[in-house]
Amino acid sequence: LNQRVKSKILKLLYAGRLNHYKGADIAVEALAHTKTKASLDIIGGEDESGYVEKLLKIIQSNNLIDMVKISPQISREDLWGRFSDYDAILIPSRELEVFSLTAIEAQAHGLPVIYGNGGGIVDVVGKSGIQINDNNPITLAKIIDSINENPKILQDYRKLGFKNAQ
């Protein structure tokens, strides 16, 4: 089980295809609206022409260059090995997310899931994760701030998520 102790900067992960419906841009834009510090690592391959360029524009226009890092897709095994480096994983899907194996794998490794209101993931993760009800960056920013203000939330969702993954 992930026993990472939250540092002063909340370390967030987005791992998945980079396209509009997966919503990495929601995660990036949320950091522009947070009152507290957080960093975001995006790991994935571009799945929609021009999407990475769109992310880079959001990063640059909101002065998030020191807070957001984009890296190429890695193997599932390598991803599992990195889960312990983060406080939570973001899966801000805008549209149908049929199952989200990544969410369950993260929970199995003790990583709390913050997820979008996008189809089957709602049933798969449910109350064992934190839902971004309206898939809005400002709502996600408020969730990030609430976690920073009360880190015990992470412990609670770590336990709920691990139990869900079992």
Side-chain angles (χ1 to χ4, degrees), residues 17-35:
R17 294 190 320 267
L18 299 176
N19 61 42
H20 177 77
Y21 89 89
K22 288 286 192 176
D25 57 292
I26 294 171
V28 173
E29 194 177 328
L31 292 187
H33 299 287
T34 58
K35 295 175 183 158

Side-chain angles (χ1 to χ4, degrees), residues 62-82:
N62 290 287
N63 199 25
L64 300 172
I65 294 165
D66 295 335
M67 299 167 76
V68 182
K69 180 180 157 200
I70 301 175
S71 303
Q73 185 172 337
I74 58 176
S75 72
R76 293 203 90 71
E77 292 80 12
D78 287 343
L79 181 62
W80 299 338
R82 292 198 189 177

Side-chain angles (χ1 to χ4, degrees), residues 12 41 50 108 121 131 140 165:
L12 302 170
D41 286 352
I121 192 170
Q131 188 182 70
L140 177 54

Side-chain angles (χ1 to χ4, degrees), residues 111-149:
L111 190 59
V113 174
I114 302 170
Y115 67 99
N117 188 2
I121 192 170
V122 175
D123 298 323
V124 172
V125 175
K127 295 193 182 305
S128 71
I130 303 170
Q131 188 182 70
I132 312 161
N133 296 325
D134 58 3
N135 298 347
N136 185 299
I138 294 171
T139 303
L140 177 54
K142 289 177 184 174
I143 291 168
I144 292 167
D145 287 337
S146 71
I147 291 169
N148 265 330
E149 291 162 8

Side-chain angles (χ1 to χ4, degrees), residues 1-6 10-15 39-41 79-80 82-92 100-116 121 124-132 140 143-144 146-148 150-165:
L1 198 58
N2 178 5
Q3 294 299 314
R4 184 177 192 286
V5 176
K6 187 183 110 31
L10 188 69
K11 288 189 71 175
L12 302 170
L13 171 66
Y14 169 94
S39 69
L40 172 64
D41 286 352
L79 181 62
W80 299 338
R82 292 198 189 177
F83 283 154
S84 63
D85 295 338
Y86 298 96
D87 296 306
I89 189 167
L90 303 177
I91 305 175
S100 187
L101 181 59
T102 303
I104 298 303
E105 291 170 338
Q107 288 183 323
H109 287 86
L111 190 59
V113 174
I114 302 170
Y115 67 99
I121 192 170
V124 172
V125 175
K127 295 193 182 305
S128 71
I130 303 170
Q131 188 182 70
I132 312 161
L140 177 54
I143 291 168
I144 292 167
S146 71
I147 291 169
N148 265 330
N150 184 5
K152 185 182 179 306
I153 293 170
L154 291 173
Q155 289 292 75
D156 295 343
Y157 280 102
R158 188 171 286 128
K159 291 174 190 167
L160 288 168
F162 186 74
K163 194 173 187 178
N164 184 59

